[in-house]
Amino acid sequence: MATPLSPAAKRKSDTLYFQLAEEMAQAIAAGVLKAGERLPSIRRLSAQRQISLSTVMEAYRELEARGLIEARPQSGFYVRALHAGFSPPSLTQPPSEPSEVVTAPVLWPYQVKENQSIRVDFGLAILSPELYPTQQLQRLLAQTTRYQPRMLADYGKPAGDIELRRHIARRSLAWGGQFEADDVLITHGCLEAINLCLRAVTEPGDVVAIESPAYFGLLQILESFQLKALEIPTHPQTGISIEALELATREGKVKACLLIPSFSNPLGSVMPDDNKKRLVEMLSSRNIPLIEDDLYGEFFHHGSRPRPAKAFDRDGNVMLCSSFTKALAPGMRVGWVVAGRWRRELEKLKFINTYSTPVAMQQTIARFLENGGYDHHLRRLRRAVAEQVDGAVSAIRRFFPKDTRLNVPQGGYVLWIELPECVDTRELLRLSLAEGISFAPGELFSPSHSYRNCLRICCVEPWTTRHERAIQRLGELCQTLIRPVPHSVVTA
C-alpha cells in the first residue's frame, strides 16, 4: 500500500507547477527529453501550455532542485547529463531520539593530519591555494595598511567594518535579503558565527535538530556546548525532511535547528524554495530559532544562486551565517552573521569572545568586493569546482563497486558515497592511508556514529591523472572489503 501524502505534500502535488514538473521528470526518465537537450524557453512553454510565466519558472526550479535540469547563463535550461550506473542514496533513517555528541576517536588525528605521507587528499574540504586570488589580495592588503599606517594599532569595533557590512547587505539584494549593514556582525569565519548563535539560544543539555549526516565541525561545536543532537532524515537531493522535522518539533523539546539548506556538507543537497519557505514558517510558528549555515551558497555549478532560508524570514527567526573563507581567502578568517532578533545579544557575545575581527583583513576584502574582483573570481572558481566534481564523479562511476550509490550535487565540491553495507570505511581508510590516499569516513558525520559504509570525497584540486589513479585505487580497495554472502545450507 502506498504511503499517504502529508497535507503539505498533498497541497504541493495539487499545484499546477508541480504537475508540470512531474510530467517533464517522467519525460526525462523515459528518454523523451535526452541529456544535454535544450528545454523550451519559459516564455515559449508558457504560451504553448497557456499557463503563467511564474508557473513555468517554478516548475523549472523544482526540476533544478531534483538535479534533472540545469540553467546555463545566456542560453536557457538543459537536461542534465545524469551519471548512469549509480543510483543516489535514499532518504536517511537516523535514530529517532536525541544523541549525546561524542566525537569519533578517529576524528582528531584525521583533522590534524598526523599522517604526513598523504599523496592525494580527498579528506578535508579546503580548496587548493591556486584557486584563490592570493596575489590580488596581497596587493590590496599592502595598500590598505600603507594608506592607514595606524590600522594595526586599532582593535576595531565588535560589529565590524561598516564598509564590509554594507557590501554584504548590498549583495544580499540579489537573493531577496531584507537587512541593512547595521544588521550584519563580522566574525572570525563561519564557525565563530555559529558558535555565537548557539550560545545565544541554547543552554547545556538542550536538543538541537540537525541534518543526518551532518558536518563533523558542527557536531564538535554541539559537543563542546554539551548539547544533544537530534538527527532528522535527510534526502541527498532535496535536503532535510520537513515532515520529519515537523513531527520532531511538536512537543517543544527541540530548542534550535542548525542546518545547511544550500549544498550541504556532506550530502551536497539543496532544499527547494518551497521547502525552505515551509521550514521558516513552521519554525517561526513554534518559536524555534533556525541557525542557517550558508557557507557553500555561492558554489552553484549552473544557473543561479539558491536563495537562503533567510530570504523567507519575516520576523527575524533565522540566523544567517556565512564567510569569505571557502570562496576567497581561508587565511583571512573573515565571516559574518545576520542574527535577526538576537542581533544585540550576539554583539555582546562577540565582545566577550574575541572582541573584534582584524580590521586590515576586513577592509582588504571590502576593497576586493568594491572593485568587482570578487564576482570575477567567483565565476572562475565555480567553473573550476564543477570540473573537479565532474572528474571525480566520472572516475567513481568507472572504478567503484557496482552497488555503490552516489549523489551528484548541483553545487559545492563534496561527494557523499554509499558503499555496500559490508564495507567498513574506517577499515578502508586504514588501507588507503597506507598508500597515501585520504578521505573522510562516514561515521564522522553522525553523533550516533552511523554511516559506517559511507564516505565523503572532497574535490578540492584541479583534476589530474594522479587523482584519477587514486580513485581507481580506492575502488580496488573497496572491492577487497566486499565479502561474498555465503549460500544458505538447506537441509531436507
Side-chain angles (χ1 to χ4, degrees):
M1 180 182 295
T3 303
L5 293 174
S6 68
K10 182 66 167 61
R11 288 195 301 271
K12 181 176 179 179
S13 67
D14 288 340
T15 60
L16 187 57
Y17 86 84
F18 189 82
Q19 293 168 10
L20 176 60
E22 281 289 291
E23 180 184 331
M24 297 183 75
Q26 291 172 13
I28 293 171
V32 176
L33 295 173
K34 299 184 182 297
E37 185 175 341
R38 188 174 187 270
L39 298 177
S41 69
I42 294 172
R43 191 172 299 279
R44 181 182 172 189
L45 191 54
S46 170
Q48 287 176 340
R49 295 297 188 96
Q50 296 185 340
I51 54 180
S52 69
L53 294 171
S54 62
T55 297
V56 178
M57 189 68 239
E58 285 300 314
Y60 278 4
R61 283 177 177 164
E62 175 72 21
L63 292 168
E64 274 192 291
R66 299 187 196 182
L68 296 177
I69 69 173
E70 62 189 25
R72 299 179 185 174
Q74 312 300 319
S75 184
F77 290 88
Y78 290 78
V79 179
R80 286 193 74 189
L82 300 179
H83 295 270
F86 290 150
S87 300
S90 55
L91 184 74
T92 60
Q93 299 295 328
S96 58
E97 294 297 321
S99 301
E100 298 280 354
V101 184
V102 179
T103 301
V106 72
L107 180 56
W108 185 246
Y110 160 79
Q111 281 189 300
V112 299
K113 293 188 179 181
E114 287 185 354
N115 187 316
Q116 296 297 322
S117 60
I118 295 174
R119 295 183 294 102
V120 181
D121 191 355
F122 295 126
L124 296 180
I126 302 173
L127 289 172
S128 172
E130 64 190 274
L131 296 175
Y132 294 112
T134 305
Q135 291 184 345
Q136 295 164 270
L137 291 171
Q138 286 174 338
R139 285 196 296 269
L140 287 174
L141 177 60
Q143 292 171 9
T144 299
T145 53
R146 184 166 63 248
Y147 295 150
Q148 301 181 63
R150 294 190 177 185
M151 177 180 292
L152 298 182
D154 182 9
Y155 274 107
K157 300 182 184 303
D161 180 73
I162 186 61
E163 286 305 314
L164 179 57
R165 290 187 284 139
R166 284 197 186 107
H167 281 297
I168 292 169
R170 190 177 302 128
R171 292 184 65 83
S172 76
L173 295 173
W175 50 256
Q178 299 180 18
F179 54 84
E180 302 174 355
D182 285 345
D183 299 315
V184 181
L185 178 70
I186 303 300
T187 61
H188 284 278
C190 190
L191 285 180
E192 187 190 30
I194 293 169
N195 268 274
L196 297 176
C197 290
L198 283 169
R199 288 176 64 184
V201 300
T202 64
E203 297 179 353
D206 282 348
V207 176
V208 177
I210 60 172
E211 292 143 323
S212 182
Y215 171 50
F216 55 72
L218 302 183
L219 298 181
Q220 287 176 294
I221 296 175
L222 297 180
E223 180 182 24
S224 69
F225 289 160
Q226 299 178 8
L227 297 168
K228 295 180 181 179
L230 178 59
E231 299 177 80
I232 305 296
T234 305
H235 193 277
Q237 294 175 339
T238 56
I240 197 167
S241 167
I242 302 298
E243 290 76 17
L245 184 62
E246 194 275 336
L247 288 171
T249 54
R250 280 184 180 178
E251 298 180 2
K253 295 180 180 178
V254 173
K255 300 303 180 184
C257 287
L258 174 55
L259 307 177
I260 309 178
S262 297
F263 311 132
S264 70
N265 180 0
L267 282 180
S269 60
V270 55
M271 293 178 67
D273 282 353
D274 186 55
N275 285 18
K276 289 175 181 173
K277 186 172 185 291
R278 288 169 55 203
L279 170 73
V280 171
E281 290 174 349
M282 179 187 69
L283 294 179
S284 177
S285 70
R286 297 179 178 182
N287 200 31
I288 300 172
L290 170 59
I291 303 171
E292 178 179 17
D293 180 347
D294 193 51
L295 189 62
Y296 294 96
E298 291 285 3
F299 282 90
F300 55 93
H301 295 171
H302 306 285
S304 57
R305 189 202 198 286
R307 284 185 280 184
K310 183 69 177 177
F312 305 97
D313 183 23
R314 298 294 174 264
D315 57 9
N317 194 55
V318 179
M319 310 167 81
L320 178 65
C321 305
S322 190
S323 85
F324 297 99
T325 300
K326 296 291 188 184
L328 182 60
M332 287 185 162
R333 302 299 299 154
V334 175
W336 53 271
V337 55
V338 178
R341 62 175 184 260
W342 292 277
R343 167 68 175 79
R344 296 304 174 195
E345 177 66 17
L346 256 71
E347 188 167 351
K348 293 177 185 177
L349 290 170
K350 170 68 178 178
F351 183 93
I352 297 168
N353 198 50
T354 55
Y355 186 79
S356 65
T357 303
V359 179
M361 303 304 180
Q362 295 183 61
Q363 291 197 6
T364 298
I365 291 178
R367 295 184 67 179
F368 194 65
L369 291 167
E370 184 176 9
N371 66 22
Y374 187 51
D375 287 312
H376 177 70
H377 161 68
L378 283 178
R379 288 192 289 271
R380 291 176 52 252
L381 185 62
R382 290 183 194 119
R383 286 195 298 270
V385 164
E387 289 173 1
Q388 290 164 194
V389 169
D390 285 346
V393 168
S394 178
I396 292 166
R397 181 165 58 91
R398 281 183 287 135
F399 299 124
F400 269 52
K402 65 178 181 179
D403 292 332
T404 297
R405 298 173 73 91
L406 168 69
N407 183 46
V408 182
Q410 302 169 59
Y413 47 87
V414 299
L415 297 174
W416 183 251
I417 302 167
E418 183 181 313
L419 296 168
E421 288 189 10
C422 61
V423 178
D424 184 336
T425 53
R426 282 187 65 175
E427 174 64 13
L428 179 63
L429 180 63
R430 186 186 67 80
L431 296 174
S432 68
L433 284 176
E435 302 196 23
I437 303 169
S438 174
F439 63 83
E443 72 171 286
L444 296 185
F445 302 89
S446 168
S448 57
H449 299 173
S450 304
Y451 311 112
R452 295 196 64 145
N453 64 316
C454 299
L455 68 147
R456 186 193 71 178
I457 292 288
C458 296
C459 312
V460 296
E461 296 179 332
W463 196 254
T464 65
T465 55
R466 177 171 61 91
H467 299 90
E468 183 153 319
R469 286 195 296 269
I471 290 291
Q472 181 177 2
R473 185 57 186 147
L474 269 181
E476 292 168 352
L477 292 173
C478 288
Q479 291 287 4
T480 68
L481 297 175
I482 297 177
R483 297 170 179 83
V485 178
H487 294 290
S488 299
V489 177
V490 181
T491 58

